[in-house]
Amino acid sequence: MKYGFIDGHRSEHRVEKMCRVLKVSKSGYYAFRGRGKSRRQLENERLLGEIRNAHTGSRRVYGSPRITEELQSNGIECSENRVARLMRANGIAAKMKRKFKATTDSGHNLPVAENLLKQDFTADAPDRVWVSDITYIWTTEGWLYLAVILDLFSRRVVGWAMSDTITQDIVISAFLQAVWRRKPKTGLIFHSDRGSQYAAKDFRNLLAEHGFLQSMSGKGNCYDNAVAESFFHTLKTEVIYHEKYLTRNQARLSIFEYIEVFYNRVRKHSTLGYRS
């Protein structure tokens, strides 16, 4: 009781001192302490819970614009400014991005196709224009190479393949998968960079057999194949840069799961009006 009295006296003294500094009455301070949370505070707490769920569901790759779209599509009223403010105040952010530099093996004497796209990355229907590229992923077992084919209309990865070596076979495998899945009509434009894998005779013959038109980027111009480059940037900044792959098989499973489970079915794309 004695010590309790002393502690209580000290506490009362601190309250008096604080009230003098803030120029408020003791009765006003105690009224404030006894008051419940405001309606705005309660709404922010509920919204913060929804933000955390959406952020976790996006694998922590969504920033405030996509989080806002996700919440609004679920019938939750909120503005992007409010979502951004709550995310900032609570340390919720998209995974940090790192700079990405693409490389292309174009030092060859193989035939080069005309650039039919000329940086027009639009299509009026699915399977009218496909774009493709190859990238590499480091594992402790060595490099793993990934070739992808994307449909410009839907931004969907329609074909992909991985290999320990970077030959035309990886492009052919991705192409055959895309054709088997989509069964496109003749006249489709297939665009890529000037890599030797795309300029190889066997691959060019394969395109001709299906009645497809080949298109290639200008020399050294990565912007001519920006959609494919953008996909690799997204893949690396959202997944690969945050992993340390001990084996190629571990990397294969991670990339497969990202493409088929998340990217193609869940991830919201700004170019599609934040639709998957």
Side-chain angles (χ1 to χ4, degrees), residues 60-79:
R60 301 182 301 282
V61 303
Y62 284 178
S64 58
R66 286 187 172 88
I67 292 288
T68 303
E69 291 291 335
E70 177 76 13
L71 297 180
Q72 290 177 348
S73 67
N74 290 330
I76 300 171
E77 294 184 6
C78 58
S79 68

Side-chain angles (χ1 to χ4, degrees), residues 9 28 51 57 66 99 121 125 130 133 162 172-173 203 208 211:
H9 180 73
I51 290 172
R66 286 187 172 88
K99 291 182 178 179
F121 303 118
W130 288 352
D133 203 356
M162 287 180 270
I172 290 174
S173 295
F203 184 69

Side-chain angles (χ1 to χ4, degrees), residues 131-145:
V131 296
S132 182
D133 203 356
I134 305 171
T135 194
Y136 47 86
I137 299 97
W138 175 252
T139 76
T140 55
E141 288 184 339
W143 292 108
L144 176 69
Y145 299 96

Side-chain angles (χ1 to χ4, degrees), residues 32-44:
F32 168 77
R33 285 191 58 181
R35 194 180 302 141
K37 294 180 180 179
S38 69
R39 178 182 174 185
R40 184 71 172 181
Q41 287 176 310
L42 293 173
E43 288 177 351
N44 281 341

Side-chain angles (χ1 to χ4, degrees), residues 92-137:
I92 304 171
K95 287 181 179 178
M96 295 297 292
K97 297 185 180 296
R98 292 166 53 177
K99 291 182 178 179
F100 169 65
K101 180 176 177 59
T103 59
T104 300
D105 171 27
S106 56
H108 55 75
N109 297 318
L110 299 168
V112 174
E114 178 187 354
N115 185 349
L116 302 178
L117 294 191
K118 295 181 173 60
Q119 297 187 20
D120 179 9
F121 303 118
T122 59
D124 56 10
D127 304 317
R128 297 285 179 83
V129 184
W130 288 352
V131 296
S132 182
D133 203 356
I134 305 171
T135 194
Y136 47 86
I137 299 97

Side-chain angles (χ1 to χ4, degrees), residues 29-272:
Y29 167 73
Y30 286 119
F32 168 77
R33 285 191 58 181
R35 194 180 302 141
K37 294 180 180 179
S38 69
R39 178 182 174 185
R40 184 71 172 181
Q41 287 176 310
L42 293 173
E43 288 177 351
N44 281 341
E45 288 181 1
R46 284 193 291 268
L47 181 57
L48 180 59
E50 297 292 347
I51 290 172
R52 291 189 189 281
N53 289 337
H55 187 246
T56 302
S58 76
R59 307 177 184 210
R60 301 182 301 282
V61 303
Y62 284 178
S64 58
R66 286 187 172 88
I67 292 288
T68 303
E69 291 291 335
E70 177 76 13
L71 297 180
Q72 290 177 348
S73 67
N74 290 330
I76 300 171
E77 294 184 6
C78 58
S79 68
E80 185 180 333
N81 286 340
R82 188 178 182 187
V83 169
R85 187 171 63 252
L86 286 172
M87 290 179 68
R88 211 166 33 243
N90 291 275
I92 304 171
K95 287 181 179 178
M96 295 297 292
K97 297 185 180 296
R98 292 166 53 177
K99 291 182 178 179
F100 169 65
K101 180 176 177 59
T103 59
T104 300
D105 171 27
S106 56
H108 55 75
N109 297 318
L110 299 168
V112 174
E114 178 187 354
N115 185 349
L116 302 178
L117 294 191
K118 295 181 173 60
Q119 297 187 20
D120 179 9
F121 303 118
T122 59
D124 56 10
D127 304 317
R128 297 285 179 83
V129 184
W130 288 352
V131 296
S132 182
D133 203 356
I134 305 171
T135 194
Y136 47 86
I137 299 97
W138 175 252
T139 76
T140 55
E141 288 184 339
W143 292 108
L144 176 69
Y145 299 96
L146 168 68
V148 298
I149 300 172
L150 295 103
D151 174 49
L152 268 192
F153 180 79
S154 65
R155 294 302 200 267
R156 183 182 183 88
V157 178
V158 293
W160 54 272
M162 287 180 270
S163 174
D164 299 357
T165 58
I166 185 168
T167 66
Q168 65 172 320
D169 291 340
I170 189 175
V171 174
I172 290 174
S173 295
F175 176 82
L176 293 176
Q177 182 190 83
V179 170
W180 176 78
R181 281 179 164 181
R182 307 297 298 176
K183 298 175 176 56
K185 298 178 181 178
T186 59
L188 178 146
I189 296 175
F190 186 96
H191 183 83
S192 69
D193 59 28
R194 296 187 173 200
S196 59
Q197 299 83 5
Y198 296 103
K201 183 179 179 180
D202 288 348
F203 184 69
R204 288 187 288 110
N205 288 342
L206 194 58
L207 290 175
E209 288 173 12
H210 287 82
F212 297 166
L213 304 176
Q214 187 168 29
S215 172
M216 287 185 175
S217 301
K219 187 173 182 179
N221 192 339
C222 62
Y223 297 105
D224 284 349
N225 201 19
V227 174
E229 300 280 7
S230 176
F231 169 77
F232 285 145
H233 176 78
T234 298
L235 171 68
K236 294 199 172 189
T237 56
E238 292 187 356
V239 181
I240 293 172
Y241 289 151
H242 303 278
E243 301 289 343
K244 183 177 180 181
Y245 298 121
L246 300 179
T247 66
R248 289 189 178 96
N249 190 53
Q250 184 184 2
R252 289 174 189 270
L253 291 174
S254 173
I255 294 166
F256 163 80
E257 198 267 346
Y258 177 79
I259 291 175
E260 295 295 352
V261 177
F262 182 64
Y263 187 87
N264 273 351
R265 291 174 169 81
V266 176
R267 190 182 190 277
K268 293 180 181 295
H269 299 269
S270 57
T271 53
L272 303 177

